[in-house]
Amino acid sequence: MRTKLILGFLFLATALSLHAQPTQKPVLHGRHWMAITGKPLAATAGSMIFQKGGNAIDATCAMLAATCTMWDVLSWGGETQALIYNPKTKKVIAINALGVAPTGATADFFKNKGLKYPPGDGPLAAVTPGTPGGLMTMLAEYGTMSLKEVFAPAMQLAEGYPIEKQTADMMERNKNKLKDWPYSKKVFLPHLGEAREAPHAGEIFKQSDLLATLQKLVDTEQAALKAGKSRKEAIYAANERFYKGDIAQEFVRGCQEQGGLITTQDLAKWKVLIEEPTVVDYRGIQVYKLSQWTQGPAMQQALNILENFDLKSMGFNTAKYIHTVYQAMNMAFADRDFYYGDPYTGPEEPIKGLLSKEYAKQRFKAINLEKNDPKVKPGDPYPFEGKTNPFLPVLEKWSASPATSALENPRGSALNDPNYLAGFYAGTTSIQAADKEGWVVSVTPSGGWLPAVIAGKTGVGMSQRMQAFVLDPAENPFNVVEPGKRPRVTLTPSLAMKDGKPFLSFAVQGGDSQDQNLLQFFLNVVEFGMNVQEACEAPNINSFQMRSSFDNHDTKPGEILLNENTPPWTRKALQEMGYKMSFEARTSGPINAIFFDWKHGSFWGGSSNHGEDYGIGW
């Protein structure tokens, strides 16, 4: 009995002290502004804009332009999702700059090619480019600077910058695929015929076509200003040239030449949408996410479920805590996999029911507190909207374990399946910015990552987001591909408010792991009192039970990723609960975040030790 008590105290002490360990990266402190993103050079671009008097929107646009130019697992032809706190209106707004499926992109089109899902890369994977429009809309509506000013760092990078090893090696690994696309081959493989055909680390990487495209946008803006247009009107004139002018024509020509579907009409019709975000209250903190065209509400659903538990008393990353969070996430993500889709096309998603506290209580009561449940299915939120579920027959046949799952997969564990992991964790970057005026921006841009198809002589890499669609309504009746429709994406920035003021701004890259890691980051701060850097680096768990949003949309029911420092008694307890465990040294994902210290009038910045992410504050 005495031995068990000692082990119990050791267990509790370990759980409570894990977050007190020194962090590998220091907390960032700033009084005037904070700029954090996926690359040191891109964070520097944000700091340059701040030092010239720009606000957080201006700095965000400069960082976004820089990360796209540096191919920080995204490019100019991808998509941008943002949450912005406007200190003038005291409201959080959402930016929807996600492209749409082009003309001809129907379920039958892909089925006739023998595909189960739209392809993961190549010209047929592309939705219309959203990032240029998203950047220019944010700048025009909420910024203070010109396109010329915020593009300046990115244009210097396009002239040539010393490329880092990670991106250069990604080009080399994918060179055989890149050779199939002539414009990509020209840019990414400057040493054709040599042993290494991609750039070397530190080599000056030049993008003359992209530079010319950016210069055209700046020239259009400057000409409009000289003609007497306002700053806002001039930026939108540049936006018009990208989506309806000669840039659009060359983009479409290059896309179609390589087998893509995007038309000039697709580009001309597409618009950025400024939206109301979704919000839930968690113990007096309002958590804002983008709506059901992203996976963001899944985190809000999980918070609603977890609010019914006393998480703090469980102890940080104890077996009980891990099990509880894992089950809540699986319930929320099962709903994501079945109910989420583009709210601007039918059928209408039951988002009100999904985010209701009463529905969360129903889901909470269904959790098995003793055993892992690898067969968690979507619930029925319609009664909580006063409606009858029109998809009950489909829901009843829906399986948590499709034929491609780990239960039948000879490769077994997620960590033994590199193709699955590459899709599940498909990366991008994130951007966090705040200023003393009160503007706060949280962005998770993506798309057009390597290996990317560059569209003609624009220098712009095309998105691969089409793969997030399904072709069979039996999988998700809300997310079946059709022209003009947005795919349900994983990209999910976050903002939290407390007492009417910004509390946390946070985002992470990493595909289907994003809202899992963001959920735990938030709980680390709110329930366990970690500072923002501790919360960024703290060991998280990842579930592989949800359906991947990429490639073959695979799933690994019952599998969990744990940090390799998880103690043996926790491992044993989880194994007895029925978990299949994998382990890694770092499990937080590259989270970037800002905490707002209203007591001292300062910012605390956090940037994970997981990757190359970097921040600068002043």
Side-chain angles (χ1 to χ4, degrees), residues 270-350:
W270 181 83
K271 302 291 181 187
V272 176
L273 300 169
I274 300 176
E275 304 176 330
E276 290 280 336
T278 56
V279 59
V280 299
D281 186 285
Y282 181 84
R283 307 194 198 284
I285 300 169
Q286 295 74 51
V287 181
Y288 289 84
K289 302 290 283 187
L290 300 170
S291 70
Q292 64 270 25
W293 57 273
T294 74
Q295 67 175 338
M299 176 182 161
Q300 295 169 319
Q301 285 190 245
L303 285 172
N304 281 345
I305 296 170
L306 292 170
E307 198 172 30
N308 294 284
F309 292 94
D310 183 356
L311 298 176
K312 189 174 182 178
S313 70
M314 295 180 185
F316 174 70
N317 276 2
T318 61
K320 186 176 182 180
Y321 176 77
I322 289 171
H323 175 70
T324 302
V325 171
Y326 181 95
Q327 298 303 318
M329 290 196 307
N330 286 349
M331 285 185 165
F333 277 90
D335 284 342
R336 179 207 74 169
D337 290 343
F338 189 79
Y339 290 112
Y340 290 20
D342 183 2
Y344 299 96
T345 63
E348 181 182 359
E349 299 85 3

Side-chain angles (χ1 to χ4, degrees), residues 103-119:
T103 300
T106 64
D108 285 342
F109 173 83
F110 293 108
K111 287 178 181 177
N112 289 337
K113 290 184 173 294
L115 298 172
K116 187 176 180 182
Y117 300 100

Side-chain angles (χ1 to χ4, degrees), residues 151-197:
F151 271 11
M155 292 177 74
Q156 290 180 36
L157 291 168
E159 286 176 352
Y161 73 94
I163 193 168
E164 72 285 356
K165 186 176 189 302
Q166 184 183 60
T167 303
D169 286 351
M170 195 179 302
M171 295 173 184
E172 178 67 14
R173 286 196 303 272
N174 289 284
K175 64 183 181 181
N176 291 334
K177 191 167 286 186
L178 292 169
K179 287 177 183 179
D180 291 336
W181 309 318
Y183 303 100
S184 298
K185 179 173 68 174
K186 176 186 173 184
V187 173
F188 299 129
L189 304 177
H191 307 300
L192 282 171
E194 299 179 18
R196 182 184 175 93
E197 298 180 302

Side-chain angles (χ1 to χ4, degrees), residues 206-225:
K206 300 178 179 180
Q207 301 172 79
S208 57
D209 286 343
L210 177 60
L211 179 61
T213 294
L214 299 179
Q215 187 65 56
K216 287 177 182 178
L217 296 175
V218 169
D219 289 346
T220 302
E221 176 202 47
Q222 294 300 301
L225 289 171

